[in-house]
Every structure is written in structure tokens, then in C-alpha cells.
Amino acid sequence: MDLPKTSLIEKHALIIVSILLFSGVSIVVFHMTNLAKRLAEQATLSHAEHYTDALRAFRTLYTSEVVERVRNEGINVSHDYMHHKKTIPLPATLTKALGESLGKNTTSDSQVLLYSKYPFPHQVNRLEPGNFESAAWQQLINQPETPFYRFTTYEGKTVLRYATADRMRESCIDCHNTHPKTPKSGWEVGDVRGVLEVILPVNTKDIVKKSGIASTAVYMIFITLLSVTVIGITLNKIKKLNHISRHGE
């Protein structure tokens, strides 16, 4: 009498189970990694919003409480204030200096940029066809209330570039309309004067570490290996019992 043949599934049961288990773990780990990336992007976006609000509030306060007061006292306001006596920095100049100082003195590695289609002679024109700055300017001109941002690579790092409209304030109108080197006159309150951009690195590693995703993935892999080992031992015992049963031992 012929003995029943062992099916292909029975022969490779452990391999099949292992593939299924590791596939399941891989899918979960992949999903958790994507989740960590989205959390990191959301946290960076929230940080950029608060950062921008703080810079805007500082600039407004400096303009109204410092610049407007000292002008009547014979103090000049200029971008090259360091080379002149009785001179303080322009609001935009001080805002950029503050952003640079925060980036250097913290671990955030952040940057602050201010640019416009109408730069003063001492400023660099950053608006080139096809670049982020040009795209930000075009959108903010049409939708000044809506921030323009992208998650992209900048200087070799994954960053968030977050741009908002820099709108003309009442306290800035006279200076911009009457300055001898102004690139444009006829400004009105609320006009989009330029773009305030904050560049922040997206630190996915910190999110992974703080959320425990990495340790969870390690535990899952360990449990999977343990499960495969237990299943392998069990299947081996079953094979032996079947062998004994088939040969009548």
C-alpha cells in the first residue's frame, strides 16, 4: 500500500509562514515610518507658523515703538547702521539679523529670508524664474492671506520652506514712498511689499525617537523571530509524528 505523499505546503510550511509574518511586520513598519514622517512635517509646519508670527510681531513692535520714536530725535534708520553713528537698523534688517542669530544660537538650524520683486539697491534679487522664491511671490500676490510652503531639499537637507506675505504697514508707508533709493513708490497700507520666509529642517529622527516607533519596530521583529522559531519547532514535531504514523512505528 502506497503511503500518502507530503503536500508542497506541508514541505514548505515554515517558509510560507515566515514570509507571511515578515511581510506583515514590514507593512506595519513601513506604515509607522510614513506616520513618523507625517508627524515630523506637521510639527515643523506648526513651528514655522509660530516662528513667523513671532518675527512679524517683533517687527511691528520695533517699527512702532523704536523706529518711529527715534526719528524725531535725530536718529537715522539704515541697513548699514553699523557703519554710521546715531543710526539704528531698518525693521527688515533687524528681522533678518534676529533670524540669523536664532539659527546660530539654537539647534534648530533655521534660516530667515526677506525678499521682494522691488528690492532696494543694497538687497539681492532672489526672484528667478522657476525657483521657490518666485513661486511664493506669485501666489502671495494673489492670495496674501494663505501661506505658501513646500517640503523640499535645501542645502543638502530636508526642510520646510514656509513663506508668508510681508504686507505694508502704516508706519512704513512714508519711508518706502519717499526714500531717495526706493524701487517703487505709491505704496498703500496692506500692499504685499515682499515675502517673509522661514526655513526649518524636518527632523524625522527626533519624532521616531520620542514616539517610540523605533523601539516598537524592534519589539515586533523580535516577536516575529520568536514566533517563527516556535512555529518551526512545532512543525518539526508534527512532521516527526506524521512520519511515525505513516510508517506504523
Side-chain angles (χ1 to χ4, degrees):
M1 180 178 177
D2 294 334
L3 293 172
K5 294 182 179 180
T6 305
S7 68
L8 185 63
I9 295 178
E10 289 178 335
K11 285 183 178 180
H12 303 288
L14 182 60
I15 295 176
I16 295 171
V17 171
S18 299
I19 291 174
L20 291 174
L21 285 174
F22 278 104
S23 297
V25 171
S26 298
I27 292 171
V28 172
V29 171
F30 177 77
H31 174 73
M32 293 172 69
T33 302
N34 282 340
L35 176 60
K37 180 181 178 181
R38 290 196 296 270
L39 289 173
E41 291 179 346
Q42 189 60 43
T44 307
L45 184 58
S46 178
H47 184 196
E49 292 173 356
H50 293 304
Y51 199 174
T52 300
D53 288 342
L55 289 173
R56 187 181 292 113
F58 164 78
R59 187 175 176 184
T60 300
L61 187 64
Y62 174 72
T63 302
S64 62
E65 299 302 317
V66 178
V67 175
E68 290 302 306
R69 289 174 178 267
V70 301
R71 274 180 177 166
N72 297 327
E73 303 299 327
I75 303 296
N76 296 318
V77 185
S78 174
H79 69 280
D80 58 347
Y81 64 97
M82 292 183 292
H83 302 101
H84 302 280
K85 294 181 179 180
K86 293 185 177 181
T87 305
I88 63 173
L90 287 164
T93 303
L94 189 60
T95 300
K96 287 191 285 187
L98 175 62
E100 291 173 1
S101 178
L102 290 173
K104 291 178 181 177
N105 296 313
T106 65
T107 58
S108 65
D109 197 24
S110 61
Q111 294 187 45
V112 176
L113 302 177
L114 274 168
Y115 46 88
S116 172
K117 185 179 179 180
Y118 311 102
F120 277 88
H122 65 274
Q123 296 174 327
V124 177
N125 188 354
R126 293 178 171 272
L127 303 185
E128 298 179 1
N131 67 2
F132 175 88
E133 290 89 336
S134 181
W137 171 263
Q138 291 298 327
Q139 176 170 308
L140 293 172
I141 281 290
N142 298 320
Q143 303 177 49
E145 300 296 336
T146 305
F148 179 82
Y149 63 88
R150 287 178 185 169
F151 291 97
T152 184
T153 300
Y154 183 79
E155 296 182 350
K157 299 178 181 178
T158 301
V159 301
L160 165 65
R161 301 190 68 174
Y162 185 87
T164 54
D166 182 28
R167 309 184 76 169
M168 189 63 72
R169 301 166 179 78
E170 185 175 0
S171 57
C172 302
I173 287 288
D174 289 339
C175 179
H176 281 273
N177 283 337
T178 61
H179 195 283
K181 294 184 179 180
T182 184
K184 181 180 182 300
S185 59
W187 291 105
E188 297 182 0
V189 176
D191 287 347
V192 178
R193 162 71 181 89
V195 176
L196 172 62
E197 180 186 341
V198 172
I199 303 175
L200 297 175
V202 180
N203 200 334
T204 306
K205 291 182 180 179
D206 280 352
I207 296 295
V208 170
K209 183 177 179 181
K210 293 178 181 179
S211 63
I213 290 177
S215 58
T216 302
V218 172
Y219 291 145
M220 291 182 65
I221 293 172
F222 173 76
I223 292 172
T224 302
L225 289 172
L226 183 62
S227 300
V228 170
T229 302
V230 172
I231 293 172
I233 294 173
T234 303
L235 289 176
N236 189 47
K237 289 184 177 180
I238 292 174
K239 284 182 180 180
K240 287 182 178 180
L241 291 174
N242 287 338
H243 180 77
I244 293 172
S245 176
R246 287 170 180 172
H247 287 81
E249 296 181 5

